[in-house]
Amino acid sequence: MPDPEAEPVYLDGDEWKAYFRDFQRSAFRLETHQTYTMPGENTTFSAFKAGEPMPEGFNARWHGIIKGHVEAGRTMTRAKIVRRPLTPYSRYLFSWAVPTNVAAGEDYRIIDLTDRPNPGLPEQDFWMFDETTVVELNYRPDGTQINRELITGDITPYLEWRRIALAASVPFEEYAKALEI
């Protein structure tokens, strides 16, 4: 949890990118929002909603990052909370982004809370690197990111939330097959 006595440490630019470049064992993300408003996705999200085909080379830079880590023996895992009916953004992720991330080597998992209670997960997105460093991702209600805050306090709750998320989730491929995505 954030240390209430400490000044917040916000990450951006190269300082933020370094976490993805320098982790040694694992990177884990909990995604809790149903919609994200990411400026870099405006064009492709609009194309998806218009029924256009996925552009060639879609997300290639990110796939290169995933592949490099996997080849070096490091893991990249995400657990996404969803509720049906899926939002247009989730349909975009599940049609274009997630299958290509999985093909690149990311372990993408789904926690569908449509017909069951939340198993104890927060409504807070975060990345955890090497089970030692946590960065909270803060968003407005419309899914626009506000900031990224390095957690300088006790990360024990995040370790537990990761454990819960992994136990409560299914691999994306299994989820997609069941829903015929």
Side-chain angles (χ1 to χ4, degrees), residues 146-166:
I146 300 167
N147 59 39
R148 299 173 201 97
E149 183 178 352
L150 179 65
I151 300 305
T152 57
D154 181 16
I155 67 161
T156 302
Y158 299 91
L159 292 164
E160 178 63 7
W161 291 329
R162 182 190 63 170
R163 186 199 65 73
I164 292 168
L166 294 175

mmCIF file with all atom_site columns, all heavy atoms in Angstrom, residues 146-166:
data_model
loop_
_atom_site.group_PDB
_atom_site.id
_atom_site.type_symbol
_atom_site.label_atom_id
_atom_site.label_alt_id
_atom_site.label_comp_id
_atom_site.label_asym_id
_atom_site.label_entity_id
_atom_site.label_seq_id
_atom_site.pdbx_PDB_ins_code
_atom_site.Cartn_x
_atom_site.Cartn_y
_atom_site.Cartn_z
_atom_site.occupancy
_atom_site.B_iso_or_equiv
_atom_site.pdbx_formal_charge
_atom_site.auth_seq_id
_atom_site.auth_comp_id
_atom_site.auth_asym_id
_atom_site.auth_atom_id
_atom_site.pdbx_PDB_model_num
ATOM 1   N N   . ILE A 1 146 ? -4.312 8.908   -15.523 1.00 0.00 ? 146 ILE A N   1
ATOM 2   C CA  . ILE A 1 146 ? -3.934 10.130  -14.821 1.00 0.00 ? 146 ILE A CA  1
ATOM 3   C C   . ILE A 1 146 ? -2.429 10.131  -14.558 1.00 0.00 ? 146 ILE A C   1
ATOM 4   O O   . ILE A 1 146 ? -1.741 11.106  -14.839 1.00 0.00 ? 146 ILE A O   1
ATOM 5   C CB  . ILE A 1 146 ? -4.688 10.248  -13.475 1.00 0.00 ? 146 ILE A CB  1
ATOM 6   C CG1 . ILE A 1 146 ? -6.194 10.277  -13.707 1.00 0.00 ? 146 ILE A CG1 1
ATOM 7   C CG2 . ILE A 1 146 ? -4.218 11.465  -12.696 1.00 0.00 ? 146 ILE A CG2 1
ATOM 8   C CD1 . ILE A 1 146 ? -7.007 10.089  -12.435 1.00 0.00 ? 146 ILE A CD1 1
ATOM 9   N N   . ASN A 1 147 ? -1.941 9.015   -13.966 1.00 0.00 ? 147 ASN A N   1
ATOM 10  C CA  . ASN A 1 147 ? -0.519 8.929   -13.637 1.00 0.00 ? 147 ASN A CA  1
ATOM 11  C C   . ASN A 1 147 ? -0.143 7.494   -13.303 1.00 0.00 ? 147 ASN A C   1
ATOM 12  O O   . ASN A 1 147 ? -1.001 6.613   -13.242 1.00 0.00 ? 147 ASN A O   1
ATOM 13  C CB  . ASN A 1 147 ? -0.147 9.881   -12.491 1.00 0.00 ? 147 ASN A CB  1
ATOM 14  C CG  . ASN A 1 147 ? -0.918 9.596   -11.225 1.00 0.00 ? 147 ASN A CG  1
ATOM 15  O OD1 . ASN A 1 147 ? -1.163 8.449   -10.855 1.00 0.00 ? 147 ASN A OD1 1
ATOM 16  N ND2 . ASN A 1 147 ? -1.318 10.651  -10.529 1.00 0.00 ? 147 ASN A ND2 1
ATOM 17  N N   . ARG A 1 148 ? 1.150  7.299   -13.075 1.00 0.00 ? 148 ARG A N   1
ATOM 18  C CA  . ARG A 1 148 ? 1.717  6.024   -12.634 1.00 0.00 ? 148 ARG A CA  1
ATOM 19  C C   . ARG A 1 148 ? 2.497  6.324   -11.370 1.00 0.00 ? 148 ARG A C   1
ATOM 20  O O   . ARG A 1 148 ? 3.431  7.128   -11.393 1.00 0.00 ? 148 ARG A O   1
ATOM 21  C CB  . ARG A 1 148 ? 2.660  5.452   -13.692 1.00 0.00 ? 148 ARG A CB  1
ATOM 22  C CG  . ARG A 1 148 ? 2.007  5.168   -15.007 1.00 0.00 ? 148 ARG A CG  1
ATOM 23  C CD  . ARG A 1 148 ? 3.093  4.772   -16.033 1.00 0.00 ? 148 ARG A CD  1
ATOM 24  N NE  . ARG A 1 148 ? 2.621  4.959   -17.371 1.00 0.00 ? 148 ARG A NE  1
ATOM 25  C CZ  . ARG A 1 148 ? 2.861  6.031   -18.133 1.00 0.00 ? 148 ARG A CZ  1
ATOM 26  N NH1 . ARG A 1 148 ? 3.587  7.033   -17.672 1.00 0.00 ? 148 ARG A NH1 1
ATOM 27  N NH2 . ARG A 1 148 ? 2.390  6.104   -19.348 1.00 0.00 ? 148 ARG A NH2 1
ATOM 28  N N   . GLU A 1 149 ? 2.119  5.661   -10.284 1.00 0.00 ? 149 GLU A N   1
ATOM 29  C CA  . GLU A 1 149 ? 2.740  5.956   -8.993  1.00 0.00 ? 149 GLU A CA  1
ATOM 30  C C   . GLU A 1 149 ? 3.518  4.761   -8.463  1.00 0.00 ? 149 GLU A C   1
ATOM 31  O O   . GLU A 1 149 ? 2.952  3.680   -8.265  1.00 0.00 ? 149 GLU A O   1
ATOM 32  C CB  . GLU A 1 149 ? 1.672  6.360   -7.981  1.00 0.00 ? 149 GLU A CB  1
ATOM 33  C CG  . GLU A 1 149 ? 2.243  6.748   -6.643  1.00 0.00 ? 149 GLU A CG  1
ATOM 34  C CD  . GLU A 1 149 ? 1.192  7.208   -5.648  1.00 0.00 ? 149 GLU A CD  1
ATOM 35  O OE1 . GLU A 1 149 ? 0.025  7.372   -6.023  1.00 0.00 ? 149 GLU A OE1 1
ATOM 36  O OE2 . GLU A 1 149 ? 1.568  7.394   -4.477  1.00 0.00 ? 149 GLU A OE2 1
ATOM 37  N N   . LEU A 1 150 ? 4.804  4.965   -8.217  1.00 0.00 ? 150 LEU A N   1
ATOM 38  C CA  . LEU A 1 150 ? 5.649  3.943   -7.614  1.00 0.00 ? 150 LEU A CA  1
ATOM 39  C C   . LEU A 1 150 ? 5.230  3.777   -6.161  1.00 0.00 ? 150 LEU A C   1
ATOM 40  O O   . LEU A 1 150 ? 5.145  4.760   -5.417  1.00 0.00 ? 150 LEU A O   1
ATOM 41  C CB  . LEU A 1 150 ? 7.117  4.365   -7.701  1.00 0.00 ? 150 LEU A CB  1
ATOM 42  C CG  . LEU A 1 150 ? 8.134  3.402   -7.096  1.00 0.00 ? 150 LEU A CG  1
ATOM 43  C CD1 . LEU A 1 150 ? 8.158  2.086   -7.859  1.00 0.00 ? 150 LEU A CD1 1
ATOM 44  C CD2 . LEU A 1 150 ? 9.515  4.058   -7.085  1.00 0.00 ? 150 LEU A CD2 1
ATOM 45  N N   . ILE A 1 151 ? 4.964  2.549   -5.762  1.00 0.00 ? 151 ILE A N   1
ATOM 46  C CA  . ILE A 1 151 ? 4.562  2.280   -4.382  1.00 0.00 ? 151 ILE A CA  1
ATOM 47  C C   . ILE A 1 151 ? 5.822  2.100   -3.540  1.00 0.00 ? 151 ILE A C   1
ATOM 48  O O   . ILE A 1 151 ? 6.657  1.231   -3.833  1.00 0.00 ? 151 ILE A O   1
ATOM 49  C CB  . ILE A 1 151 ? 3.661  1.028   -4.305  1.00 0.00 ? 151 ILE A CB  1
ATOM 50  C CG1 . ILE A 1 151 ? 2.396  1.243   -5.154  1.00 0.00 ? 151 ILE A CG1 1
ATOM 51  C CG2 . ILE A 1 151 ? 3.313  0.688   -2.867  1.00 0.00 ? 151 ILE A CG2 1
ATOM 52  C CD1 . ILE A 1 151 ? 1.608  2.494   -4.806  1.00 0.00 ? 151 ILE A CD1 1
ATOM 53  N N   . THR A 1 152 ? 5.950  2.920   -2.528  1.00 0.00 ? 152 THR A N   1
ATOM 54  C CA  . THR A 1 152 ? 7.149  2.891   -1.691  1.00 0.00 ? 152 THR A CA  1
ATOM 55  C C   . THR A 1 152 ? 6.893  2.217   -0.351  1.00 0.00 ? 152 THR A C   1
ATOM 56  O O   . THR A 1 152 ? 7.822  2.029   0.418   1.00 0.00 ? 152 THR A O   1
ATOM 57  C CB  . THR A 1 152 ? 7.687  4.319   -1.458  1.00 0.00 ? 152 THR A CB  1
ATOM 58  O OG1 . THR A 1 152 ? 6.648  5.109   -0.864  1.00 0.00 ? 152 THR A OG1 1
ATOM 59  C CG2 . THR A 1 152 ? 8.129  4.943   -2.765  1.00 0.00 ? 152 THR A CG2 1
ATOM 60  N N   . GLY A 1 153 ? 5.661  1.829   -0.090  1.00 0.00 ? 153 GLY A N   1
ATOM 61  C CA  . GLY A 1 153 ? 5.333  1.163   1.170   1.00 0.00 ? 153 GLY A CA  1
ATOM 62  C C   . GLY A 1 153 ? 5.322  -0.353  1.021   1.00 0.00 ? 153 GLY A C   1
ATOM 63  O O   . GLY A 1 153 ? 5.937  -0.925  0.114   1.00 0.00 ? 153 GLY A O   1
ATOM 64  N N   . ASP A 1 154 ? 4.601  -0.989  1.902   1.00 0.00 ? 154 ASP A N   1
ATOM 65  C CA  . ASP A 1 154 ? 4.487  -2.445  1.962   1.00 0.00 ? 154 ASP A CA  1
ATOM 66  C C   . ASP A 1 154 ? 3.751  -2.969  0.726   1.00 0.00 ? 154 ASP A C   1
ATOM 67  O O   . ASP A 1 154 ? 2.639  -2.526  0.425   1.00 0.00 ? 154 ASP A O   1
ATOM 68  C CB  . ASP A 1 154 ? 3.713  -2.817  3.230   1.00 0.00 ? 154 ASP A CB  1
ATOM 69  C CG  . ASP A 1 154 ? 3.546  -4.295  3.430   1.00 0.00 ? 154 ASP A CG  1
ATOM 70  O OD1 . ASP A 1 154 ? 4.259  -5.086  2.776   1.00 0.00 ? 154 ASP A OD1 1
ATOM 71  O OD2 . ASP A 1 154 ? 2.681  -4.678  4.243   1.00 0.00 ? 154 ASP A OD2 1
ATOM 72  N N   . ILE A 1 155 ? 4.351  -3.916  0.017   1.00 0.00 ? 155 ILE A N   1
ATOM 73  C CA  . ILE A 1 155 ? 3.694  -4.466  -1.181  1.00 0.00 ? 155 ILE A CA  1
ATOM 74  C C   . ILE A 1 155 ? 2.998  -5.806  -0.911  1.00 0.00 ? 155 ILE A C   1
ATOM 75  O O   . ILE A 1 155 ? 2.484  -6.436  -1.832  1.00 0.00 ? 155 ILE A O   1
ATOM 76  C CB  . ILE A 1 155 ? 4.665  -4.603  -2.369  1.00 0.00 ? 155 ILE A CB  1
ATOM 77  C CG1 . ILE A 1 155 ? 5.733  -5.652  -2.101  1.00 0.00 ? 155 ILE A CG1 1
ATOM 78  C CG2 . ILE A 1 155 ? 5.262  -3.248  -2.732  1.00 0.00 ? 155 ILE A CG2 1
ATOM 79  C CD1 . ILE A 1 155 ? 6.412  -6.149  -3.366  1.00 0.00 ? 155 ILE A CD1 1
ATOM 80  N N   . THR A 1 156 ? 2.957  -6.223  0.352   1.00 0.00 ? 156 THR A N   1
ATOM 81  C CA  . THR A 1 156 ? 2.325  -7.494  0.695   1.00 0.00 ? 156 THR A CA  1
ATOM 82  C C   . THR A 1 156 ? 0.907  -7.611  0.138   1.00 0.00 ? 156 THR A C   1
ATOM 83  O O   . THR A 1 156 ? 0.549  -8.667  -0.400  1.00 0.00 ? 156 THR A O   1
ATOM 84  C CB  . THR A 1 156 ? 2.344  -7.714  2.219   1.00 0.00 ? 156 THR A CB  1
ATOM 85  O OG1 . THR A 1 156 ? 3.698  -7.668  2.669   1.00 0.00 ? 156 THR A OG1 1
ATOM 86  C CG2 . THR A 1 156 ? 1.715  -9.037  2.600   1.00 0.00 ? 156 THR A CG2 1
ATOM 87  N N   . PRO A 1 157 ? 0.053  -6.575  0.223   1.00 0.00 ? 157 PRO A N   1
ATOM 88  C CA  . PRO A 1 157 ? -1.297 -6.711  -0.346  1.00 0.00 ? 157 PRO A CA  1
ATOM 89  C C   . PRO A 1 157 ? -1.271 -6.995  -1.857  1.00 0.00 ? 157 PRO A C   1
ATOM 90  O O   . PRO A 1 157 ? -2.100 -7.757  -2.359  1.00 0.00 ? 157 PRO A O   1
ATOM 91  C CB  . PRO A 1 157 ? -1.962 -5.365  -0.055  1.00 0.00 ? 157 PRO A CB  1
ATOM 92  C CG  . PRO A 1 157 ? -1.200 -4.796  1.084   1.00 0.00 ? 157 PRO A CG  1
ATOM 93  C CD  . PRO A 1 157 ? 0.207  -5.296  0.923   1.00 0.00 ? 157 PRO A CD  1
ATOM 94  N N   . TYR A 1 158 ? -0.319 -6.429  -2.574  1.00 0.00 ? 158 TYR A N   1
ATOM 95  C CA  . TYR A 1 158 ? -0.230 -6.636  -4.024  1.00 0.00 ? 158 TYR A CA  1
ATOM 96  C C   . TYR A 1 158 ? 0.175  -8.072  -4.344  1.00 0.00 ? 158 TYR A C   1
ATOM 97  O O   . TYR A 1 158 ? -0.303 -8.659  -5.317  1.00 0.00 ? 158 TYR A O   1
ATOM 98  C CB  . TYR A 1 158 ? 0.749  -5.644  -4.658  1.00 0.00 ? 158 TYR A CB  1
ATOM 99  C CG  . TYR A 1 158 ? 0.327  -4.216  -4.460  1.00 0.00 ? 158 TYR A CG  1
ATOM 100 C CD1 . TYR A 1 158 ? 0.768  -3.496  -3.348  1.00 0.00 ? 158 TYR A CD1 1
ATOM 101 C CD2 . TYR A 1 158 ? -0.516 -3.587  -5.361  1.00 0.00 ? 158 TYR A CD2 1
ATOM 102 C CE1 . TYR A 1 158 ? 0.371  -2.188  -3.142  1.00 0.00 ? 158 TYR A CE1 1
ATOM 103 C CE2 . TYR A 1 158 ? -0.909 -2.275  -5.174  1.00 0.00 ? 158 TYR A CE2 1
ATOM 104 C CZ  . TYR A 1 158 ? -0.470 -1.584  -4.054  1.00 0.00 ? 158 TYR A CZ  1
ATOM 105 O OH  . TYR A 1 158 ? -0.874 -0.289  -3.866  1.00 0.00 ? 158 TYR A OH  1
ATOM 106 N N   . LEU A 1 159 ? 1.062  -8.623  -3.539  1.00 0.00 ? 159 LEU A N   1
ATOM 107 C CA  . LEU A 1 159 ? 1.441  -10.025 -3.707  1.00 0.00 ? 159 LEU A CA  1
ATOM 108 C C   . LEU A 1 159 ? 0.218  -10.922 -3.507  1.00 0.00 ? 159 LEU A C   1
ATOM 109 O O   . LEU A 1 159 ? 0.013  -11.885 -4.260  1.00 0.00 ? 159 LEU A O   1
ATOM 110 C CB  . LEU A 1 159 ? 2.560  -10.404 -2.731  1.00 0.00 ? 159 LEU A CB  1
ATOM 111 C CG  . LEU A 1 159 ? 3.914  -9.748  -2.994  1.00 0.00 ? 159 LEU A CG  1
ATOM 112 C CD1 . LEU A 1 159 ? 4.822  -9.870  -1.775  1.00 0.00 ? 159 LEU A CD1 1
ATOM 113 C CD2 . LEU A 1 159 ? 4.574  -10.339 -4.231  1.00 0.00 ? 159 LEU A CD2 1
ATOM 114 N N   . GLU A 1 160 ? -0.586 -10.608 -2.517  1.00 0.00 ? 160 GLU A N   1
ATOM 115 C CA  . GLU A 1 160 ? -1.805 -11.382 -2.269  1.00 0.00 ? 160 GLU A CA  1
ATOM 116 C C   . GLU A 1 160 ? -2.807 -11.192 -3.408  1.00 0.00 ? 160 GLU A C   1
ATOM 117 O O   . GLU A 1 160 ? -3.442 -12.149 -3.848  1.00 0.00 ? 160 GLU A O   1
ATOM 118 C CB  . GLU A 1 160 ? -2.415 -10.999 -0.920  1.00 0.00 ? 160 GLU A CB  1
ATOM 119 C CG  . GLU A 1 160 ? -3.708 -11.721 -0.602  1.00 0.00 ? 160 GLU A CG  1
ATOM 120 C CD  . GLU A 1 160 ? -3.580 -13.239 -0.459  1.00 0.00 ? 160 GLU A CD  1
ATOM 121 O OE1 . GLU A 1 160 ? -2.462 -13.791 -0.462  1.00 0.00 ? 160 GLU A OE1 1
ATOM 122 O OE2 . GLU A 1 160 ? -4.639 -13.895 -0.363  1.00 0.00 ? 160 GLU A OE2 1
ATOM 123 N N   . TRP A 1 161 ? -2.952 -9.969  -3.893  1.00 0.00 ? 161 TRP A N   1
ATOM 124 C CA  . TRP A 1 161 ? -3.880 -9.736  -5.008  1.00 0.00 ? 161 TRP A CA  1
ATOM 125 C C   . TRP A 1 161 ? -3.428 -10.468 -6.267  1.00 0.00 ? 161 TRP A C   1
ATOM 126 O O   . TRP A 1 161 ? -4.242 -11.002 -7.014  1.00 0.00 ? 161 TRP A O   1
ATOM 127 C CB  . TRP A 1 161 ? -4.028 -8.246  -5.274  1.00 0.00 ? 161 TRP A CB  1
ATOM 128 C CG  . TRP A 1 161 ? -4.744 -7.523  -4.176  1.00 0.00 ? 161 TRP A CG  1
ATOM 129 C CD1 . TRP A 1 161 ? -5.722 -8.025  -3.360  1.00 0.00 ? 161 TRP A CD1 1
ATOM 130 C CD2 . TRP A 1 161 ? -4.534 -6.185  -3.757  1.00 0.00 ? 161 TRP A CD2 1
ATOM 131 N NE1 . TRP A 1 161 ? -6.122 -7.072  -2.463  1.00 0.00 ? 161 TRP A NE1 1
ATOM 132 C CE2 . TRP A 1 161 ? -5.411 -5.925  -2.683  1.00 0.00 ? 161 TRP A CE2 1
ATOM 133 C CE3 . TRP A 1 161 ? -3.677 -5.170  -4.189  1.00 0.00 ? 161 TRP A CE3 1
ATOM 134 C CZ2 . TRP A 1 161 ? -5.482 -4.698  -2.040  1.00 0.00 ? 161 TRP A CZ2 1
ATOM 135 C CZ3 . TRP A 1 161 ? -3.731 -3.940  -3.545  1.00 0.00 ? 161 TRP A CZ3 1
ATOM 136 C CH2 . TRP A 1 161 ? -4.623 -3.714  -2.485  1.00 0.00 ? 161 TRP A CH2 1
ATOM 137 N N   . ARG A 1 162 ? -2.130 -10.544 -6.478  1.00 0.00 ? 162 ARG A N   1
ATOM 138 C CA  . ARG A 1 162 ? -1.633 -11.318 -7.623  1.00 0.00 ? 162 ARG A CA  1
ATOM 139 C C   . ARG A 1 162 ? -1.983 -12.788 -7.436  1.00 0.00 ? 162 ARG A C   1
ATOM 140 O O   . ARG A 1 162 ? -2.447 -13.454 -8.363  1.00 0.00 ? 162 ARG A O   1
ATOM 141 C CB  . ARG A 1 162 ? -0.130 -11.149 -7.790  1.00 0.00 ? 162 ARG A CB  1
ATOM 142 C CG  . ARG A 1 162 ? 0.394  -11.928 -9.021  1.00 0.00 ? 162 ARG A CG  1
ATOM 143 C CD  . ARG A 1 162 ? 1.875  -11.966 -9.069  1.00 0.00 ? 162 ARG A CD  1
ATOM 144 N NE  . ARG A 1 162 ? 2.357  -12.680 -7.886  1.00 0.00 ? 162 ARG A NE  1
ATOM 145 C CZ  . ARG A 1 162 ? 3.582  -13.068 -7.695  1.00 0.00 ? 162 ARG A CZ  1
ATOM 146 N NH1 . ARG A 1 162 ? 4.501  -12.796 -8.590  1.00 0.00 ? 162 ARG A NH1 1
ATOM 147 N NH2 . ARG A 1 162 ? 3.936  -13.696 -6.608  1.00 0.00 ? 162 ARG A NH2 1
ATOM 148 N N   . ARG A 1 163 ? -1.780 -13.316 -6.235  1.00 0.00 ? 163 ARG A N   1
ATOM 149 C CA  . ARG A 1 163 ? -2.111 -14.711 -5.955  1.00 0.00 ? 163 ARG A CA  1
ATOM 150 C C   . ARG A 1 163 ? -3.590 -14.978 -6.210  1.00 0.00 ? 163 ARG A C   1
ATOM 151 O O   . ARG A 1 163 ? -3.964 -15.944 -6.869  1.00 0.00 ? 163 ARG A O   1
ATOM 152 C CB  . ARG A 1 163 ? -1.738 -15.080 -4.511  1.00 0.00 ? 163 ARG A CB  1
ATOM 153 C CG  . ARG A 1 163 ? -1.926 -16.572 -4.209  1.00 0.00 ? 163 ARG A CG  1
ATOM 154 C CD  . ARG A 1 163 ? -1.998 -16.853 -2.717  1.00 0.00 ? 163 ARG A CD  1
ATOM 155 N NE  . ARG A 1 163 ? -3.159 -16.275 -2.066  1.00 0.00 ? 163 ARG A NE  1
ATOM 156 C CZ  . ARG A 1 163 ? -4.416 -16.714 -2.190  1.00 0.00 ? 163 ARG A CZ  1
ATOM 157 N NH1 . ARG A 1 163 ? -4.687 -17.738 -2.962  1.00 0.00 ? 163 ARG A NH1 1
ATOM 158 N NH2 . ARG A 1 163 ? -5.402 -16.124 -1.535  1.00 0.00 ? 163 ARG A NH2 1
ATOM 159 N N   . ILE A 1 164 ? -4.456 -14.104 -5.705  1.00 0.00 ? 164 ILE A N   1
ATOM 160 C CA  . ILE A 1 164 ? -5.901 -14.256 -5.897  1.00 0.00 ? 164 ILE A CA  1
ATOM 161 C C   . ILE A 1 164 ? -6.251 -14.194 -7.374  1.00 0.00 ? 164 ILE A C   1
ATOM 162 O O   . ILE A 1 164 ? -7.032 -15.005 -7.884  1.00 0.00 ? 164 ILE A O   1
ATOM 163 C CB  . ILE A 1 164 ? -6.670 -13.177 -5.108  1.00 0.00 ? 164 ILE A CB  1
ATOM 164 C CG1 . ILE A 1 164 ? -6.526 -13.399 -3.604  1.00 0.00 ? 164 ILE A CG1 1
ATOM 165 C CG2 . ILE A 1 164 ? -8.144 -13.144 -5.514  1.00 0.00 ? 164 ILE A CG2 1
ATOM 166 C CD1 . ILE A 1 164 ? -7.003 -12.234 -2.746  1.00 0.00 ? 164 ILE A CD1 1
ATOM 167 N N   . ALA A 1 165 ? -5.685 -13.217 -8.081  1.00 0.00 ? 165 ALA A N   1
ATOM 168 C CA  . ALA A 1 165 ? -5.992 -13.041 -9.509  1.00 0.00 ? 165 ALA A CA  1
ATOM 169 C C   . ALA A 1 165 ? -5.602 -14.275 -10.307 1.00 0.00 ? 165 ALA A C   1
ATOM 170 O O   . ALA A 1 165 ? -6.360 -14.741 -11.172 1.00 0.00 ? 165 ALA A O   1
ATOM 171 C CB  . ALA A 1 165 ? -5.279 -11.805 -10.057 1.00 0.00 ? 165 ALA A CB  1
ATOM 172 N N   . LEU A 1 166 ? -4.444 -14.827 -10.035 1.00 0.00 ? 166 LEU A N   1
ATOM 173 C CA  . LEU A 1 166 ? -4.006 -16.011 -10.768 1.00 0.00 ? 166 LEU A CA  1
ATOM 174 C C   . LEU A 1 166 ? -4.890 -17.214 -10.445 1.00 0.00 ? 166 LEU A C   1
ATOM 175 O O   . LEU A 1 166 ? -5.240 -17.992 -11.334 1.00 0.00 ? 166 LEU A O   1
ATOM 176 C CB  . LEU A 1 166 ? -2.537 -16.303 -10.487 1.00 0.00 ? 166 LEU A CB  1
ATOM 177 C CG  . LEU A 1 166 ? -1.560 -15.252 -11.019 1.00 0.00 ? 166 LEU A CG  1
ATOM 178 C CD1 . LEU A 1 166 ? -0.138 -15.557 -10.579 1.00 0.00 ? 166 LEU A CD1 1
ATOM 179 C CD2 . LEU A 1 166 ? -1.661 -15.103 -12.528 1.00 0.00 ? 166 LEU A CD2 1
#
